[in-house]
Amino acid sequence: PVDIKIGPVKMGAETYIVAFMRDITKRKQVEVELVKAKQDAEESEARFKKSLEFSPTPMAVADHTGKLIFLNKKFVETYGYTLQDIQNIDQWSLQAYPDINYRNLVLQEWGQDVENALKNNTATPIRAYQVTCKSGEVKTVEITAYFEKELIIGHFQDISERKQAEEALRLEQEFVNNALNNQPDTFFLFDFTSGKALRWNQAFREISGYSDEEIAALPAPASYYSAEDLARENNVIQRIMQGETASIVMNLIRKDGKKIATEYQAAPIKDEKGEYRFIIAVGRDITERTRAENELRTTHETLQTQFNEINTLKETLQEQVIRDPLTKLFNRRYLDETLGRELIRAKRENIPISFLMMDIDHFKKINDTYGHKVGDKFLEALSNLLANTARGSDIACRFGGEEFLLTLFGANLKTAVERAEQLRQRCTELQIQYQGSNLSATISIGISTFPFHSQNAEDLIILADKALYQSKQRGRNRVTVWSEDINS
């Protein structure tokens, strides 16, 4: 490419054209480069504006005079202002910070931040301010700016929701801390895997006697409970680590070595992998309760012992009331209390009852000859014989003096006679030691049977006694069944 300039030149009568040509290749190259540079700049600016326009962060651009030349879409949506509303930074300050004192504080910090940023070629620090929107709503905004040639590019990130969430979290944390620290029960959270204490409250600090620093450093739970307690409750602890909630009673060992009986309600907490790793325990000092329970248990045991002694004494007294002290057989009082009831049952069930009245032959002579002690031995020997041969339903009774009554429930007359003969025969075999000699005695027996002889208990005893008297009259050492002949 050349640049040609032509013009006329008269030489005499003739006119000539003079041409001046200059090579402009380099100039053309420069022009092309300038055009390309302009296009690149325009494209770069377009990309820059596009990136600003579609940025998720509210952004504003001002020139070096403070005139606002661009507000992106997010800025307008978030704060409501357009370029018509805020044409420069001063107008933005008036609208965004209507309180003059607060505005002066913001502008003072802004001026200092801009000065430092330009000096150090950095962005201004991120600061959070309360920004008033066009609608009047106040939002918490984090603002920072950086400088690109003669432009000021500001980021205005709305953090209101984050601040609200942080405030809610702070209030919740404060509430939890106050709730935990002001409750009388101890609270303890630890990592079961590492044994590291994570949280605890004032009550735990006081009951354990350790400082916060010591609790954080000591391995849990080994530092607070004996190996014996942990071994005893190991099965419960393992169930907790498998997802159960359980109650545990262990002695907490204070820093000074004192043991405090403590009852815990413990529950597991999962980690980020969904595995049970942490244990949260809420406990209370049950030392007084344990002491009271021990005292109550001791009192109960004492009362139980006394109750047993009273029952034993009662049974002994009852036995003394209804039993003969020498022979240990039932006495007439027991017979009177029992016989009427048993006779009613015999009538209802239609079963017989036989009465064997007996005494020791020549008993007065034995007492007179050998003394009452020997007589008592004969009485005891006969009593033992009756007790050993009586069935469970029989009643063996010392009726009075040397007289004994054996009541046989369910025994008819034939059975009664057989039992009486057995007793008579076995009695002849009894021997009492006296001064190197063996003494023996015989018995006489009289029998009456219900309902054959009578249906009245008192009459049946009288009839048996009459039959006994008849045995005596007939020579003793014999068995006699009552009959009308005896009565006559």
Side-chain angles (χ1 to χ4, degrees):
V2 294
D3 181 21
I4 301 174
K5 291 186 177 183
I6 60 176
V9 176
K10 289 184 179 292
M11 295 181 66
E14 298 292 331
T15 300
Y16 298 92
I17 294 176
V18 179
F20 296 91
M21 293 182 290
R22 184 171 57 185
D23 182 1
I24 60 171
T25 301
K26 289 184 179 181
R27 194 184 77 185
K28 284 294 184 181
Q29 290 174 346
V30 172
E31 289 178 353
V32 169
E33 290 175 356
L34 288 175
V35 171
K36 186 175 184 303
K38 182 179 179 181
Q39 291 175 343
D40 290 343
E42 290 175 349
E43 291 176 0
S44 177
E45 183 179 355
R47 286 194 301 271
F48 176 68
K49 287 186 176 181
K50 188 174 182 180
S51 66
L52 293 180
E53 181 65 25
F54 295 102
S55 171
T57 302
M59 301 183 72
V61 180
D63 62 17
H64 69 284
T65 66
K67 178 182 179 182
L68 287 167
I69 59 176
F70 177 78
L71 300 175
N72 71 351
K73 182 179 180 181
K74 190 66 176 178
F75 185 97
V76 176
E77 289 177 354
T78 304
Y79 306 109
Y81 298 112
T82 65
L83 286 176
Q84 286 72 33
D85 301 316
I86 48 173
Q87 297 180 9
N88 52 57
I89 293 177
D90 290 338
Q91 288 184 345
W92 157 257
S93 299
L94 290 171
Q95 299 278 10
Y97 316 115
D99 181 82
I100 185 171
N101 294 324
Y102 187 68
R103 181 168 64 248
N104 289 336
L105 174 64
V106 173
L107 292 177
Q108 181 181 355
E109 289 182 343
W110 166 252
Q112 187 174 357
D113 290 343
V114 170
E115 181 180 350
N116 292 334
L118 291 173
K119 179 180 178 181
N120 299 313
N121 194 28
T122 59
T124 61
I126 299 175
R127 294 189 183 274
Y129 294 114
Q130 298 298 308
V131 171
T132 301
C133 302
K134 185 177 181 179
S135 63
E137 180 185 1
V138 178
K139 293 184 176 183
T140 304
V141 182
E142 284 186 343
I143 302 176
T144 183
Y146 66 95
F147 305 91
E148 184 68 28
K149 295 183 180 179
E150 294 186 349
L151 297 179
I152 305 173
I153 302 171
H155 291 247
F156 297 77
Q157 183 65 51
D158 178 12
I159 60 169
S160 300
E161 293 184 358
R162 192 185 81 190
K163 279 294 184 181
Q164 290 173 358
E166 289 175 351
E167 179 64 12
L169 182 62
R170 185 191 67 79
L171 292 175
E172 181 180 354
Q173 188 68 32
E174 185 175 344
F175 170 78
V176 171
N177 289 336
N178 287 334
L180 292 178
N181 286 325
N182 292 320
Q183 71 165 342
D185 293 340
T186 63
F187 170 84
F188 193 48
L189 173 67
F190 66 94
D191 185 337
F192 187 77
T193 302
S194 67
K196 181 179 178 59
L198 304 177
R199 288 289 302 275
W200 55 90
N201 66 349
Q202 176 68 20
F204 183 83
R205 188 184 307 114
E206 291 176 354
I207 196 173
S208 68
Y210 289 103
S211 65
D212 289 336
E213 293 75 14
E214 290 171 326
I215 295 174
L218 290 171
S223 300
Y224 308 101
Y225 310 100
S226 67
E228 292 78 9
D229 278 1
L230 292 173
R232 187 188 69 250
E233 298 294 340
N234 181 64
N235 291 336
V236 178
I237 295 173
Q238 293 303 321
R239 292 205 311 270
I240 293 173
M241 292 311 299
Q242 293 173 3
E244 292 187 21
T245 298
S247 176
I248 301 177
V249 176
M250 292 195 295
N251 289 314
L252 185 144
I253 304 175
R254 286 175 47 87
K255 183 179 180 180
D256 57 13
K258 181 180 178 182
K259 292 183 178 181
I260 299 177
T262 311
E263 181 180 40
Y264 294 97
Q265 291 297 323
I269 299 177
K270 293 181 178 179
D271 59 14
E272 67 278 1
K273 297 179 181 178
E275 298 176 353
Y276 290 110
R277 177 176 172 181
F278 309 99
I279 289 183
I280 181 172
V282 178
R284 62 181 54 187
D285 181 357
I286 59 170
T287 303
E288 286 301 315
R289 192 186 82 185
T290 302
R291 182 189 59 77
E293 288 175 350
N294 290 336
E295 290 181 355
L296 182 62
R297 187 180 300 108
T298 301
T299 302
H300 175 74
E301 291 173 354
T302 302
L303 291 175
Q304 186 64 44
T305 301
Q306 294 175 349
F307 178 75
N308 293 337
E309 292 174 351
I310 291 172
N311 277 342
T312 301
L313 180 60
K314 180 180 178 182
E315 292 173 0
T316 302
L317 292 174
Q318 187 174 5
E319 285 291 308
Q320 292 176 353
V321 169
I322 64 176
R323 289 190 182 273
D324 175 61
L326 175 64
T327 64
K328 303 301 185 293
L329 295 180
F330 290 115
N331 57 21
R332 292 186 64 173
R333 178 175 181 175
Y334 177 79
L335 188 67
D336 292 340
E337 292 176 353
T338 307
L339 200 55
R341 183 173 63 252
E342 293 298 329
L343 199 64
I344 293 173
R345 182 170 68 88
K347 291 178 181 179
R348 183 175 64 249
E349 299 178 4
N350 194 26
I351 59 175
I353 302 177
S354 292
F355 297 85
L356 278 62
M357 184 70 77
M358 64 194 78
D359 71 0
I360 299 174
D361 295 330
H362 302 296
F363 185 72
K364 183 178 183 304
K365 183 178 179 180
I366 292 174
N367 279 335
D368 292 343
T369 303
Y370 303 105
H372 288 283
K373 288 185 178 181
V374 174
D376 288 347
K377 287 185 178 181
F378 274 105
L379 293 176
E380 291 174 350
L382 179 57
S383 300
N384 292 335
L385 177 62
L386 292 176
N388 292 333
T389 58
R391 300 170 304 175
S393 60
D394 298 342
I395 297 177
C397 169
R398 185 182 181 187
F399 198 72
E402 71 273 20
E403 279 191 329
F404 295 85
L405 180 65
L406 180 62
T407 307
L408 308 177
F409 293 95
N412 57 26
L413 184 58
K414 180 176 180 297
T415 302
V417 172
E418 292 175 352
R419 292 280 302 279
E421 285 292 346
Q422 292 174 359
L423 283 172
R424 186 192 64 78
Q425 179 61 37
R426 292 189 62 177
C427 187
T428 61
E429 301 172 359
L430 295 176
Q431 293 185 340
I432 303 300
Q433 295 287 329
Y434 175 74
Q435 295 182 355
S437 301
N438 292 328
L439 305 179
S440 61
T442 60
I443 61 172
S444 296
I445 303 175
I447 301 175
S448 66
T449 301
F450 165 86
F452 182 70
H453 293 127
S454 175
Q455 295 190 10
N456 181 274
E458 184 177 353
D459 291 343
L460 287 166
I461 293 174
I462 293 174
L463 295 179
D465 190 55
K466 288 183 177 182
L468 168 63
Y469 180 76
Q470 188 62 32
S471 292
K472 296 283 189 180
Q473 292 295 321
R474 293 178 178 178
R476 296 182 175 83
N477 189 23
R478 66 183 62 239
V479 175
T480 302
V481 178
W482 183 86
S483 67
E484 291 292 341
D485 295 336
I486 293 176
N487 192 41
S488 62

